[in-house]
Amino acid sequence: MASRVNIVRVEHLDNPAMFNDKFKLEITFEVFEHLPHDLEWELVYVGSGTSREYDQVLDSALVGPIPEGRHKFVFDADHPNIAKIPTDDIVGVSVLLLRCKYNEQEFINMGWFVANEYTDEELKENPPAQPQVDKVEDWFIAKKV
């Protein structure tokens, strides 16, 4: 499948954004032959590096059927449910994954490191025991290797 679909570009709109804002990704991809079935796109937030049980599927979208050519769409998804993230993992570095499937077979799995940091210097130096997410900003800092 990867030879029939190529990701040209993924642009993170509204980067940086506040923690509670939606993720917005503009995805540009090429299809080298007509795909009669949907591509299933999925956005996943990794809630903790210690266990996959904290991963959250933020949204999924079906796109198709797709004619040959270059295509673009904006994929927006709500931010993760804070109650499902361990308190120690809310502020710091996380990962956002973009996956794509065709006929139930995953052929794209790419991701980005996301830095979740306080906007207030005092909170950076003296972080509270319970994170104040209304004062946390996230940045896409690098494509995951």
Side-chain angles (χ1 to χ4, degrees):
M1 173 52 55
S3 62
R4 291 192 261 171
V5 178
N6 179 48
I7 300 292
V8 175
R9 180 179 175 176
V10 178
E11 183 179 347
H12 300 276
L13 307 175
D14 302 334
N15 185 31
M18 296 307 292
F19 188 86
N20 289 321
D21 292 346
K22 286 183 173 240
F23 286 114
K24 295 178 189 169
L25 285 73
E26 184 178 78
I27 301 168
T28 305
F29 64 100
E30 295 173 317
V31 175
F32 299 108
E33 63 183 66
H34 173 75
L35 300 177
H37 305 289
D38 292 338
L39 288 174
E40 181 182 357
W41 299 87
E42 186 176 74
L43 202 57
V44 177
Y45 185 84
V46 176
S48 176
T50 61
S51 174
R52 296 184 109 193
E53 77 177 275
Y54 301 109
D55 290 2
Q56 296 179 47
V57 176
L58 302 179
D59 204 352
S60 63
L62 298 175
V63 179
I66 304 171
E68 182 178 335
R70 186 173 281 209
H71 307 277
K72 183 189 308 188
F73 71 101
V74 174
F75 192 172
D76 68 348
D78 288 332
H79 229 282
N81 180 341
I82 194 90
K84 296 181 179 179
I85 302 171
T87 303
D88 291 344
D89 292 320
I90 293 171
V91 177
V93 177
S94 187
V95 173
L96 187 69
L97 299 173
L98 177 65
R99 298 177 178 153
C100 190
K101 297 177 190 172
Y102 186 74
N103 289 334
E104 301 296 322
Q105 292 190 349
E106 185 175 295
F107 67 96
I108 292 173
N109 189 348
M110 58 193 304
W112 298 266
F113 291 110
V114 180
N116 298 312
E117 300 175 345
Y118 283 111
T119 55
D120 181 280
E121 287 301 319
E122 176 64 28
L123 290 173
K124 284 180 185 179
E125 293 177 22
N126 301 301
Q130 184 61 39
Q132 296 179 14
V133 295
D134 61 323
K135 296 185 177 160
V136 173
E137 185 175 60
D138 55 35
W139 293 73
F140 290 95
I141 53 175
K143 185 174 177 184
K144 185 179 175 215
V145 182

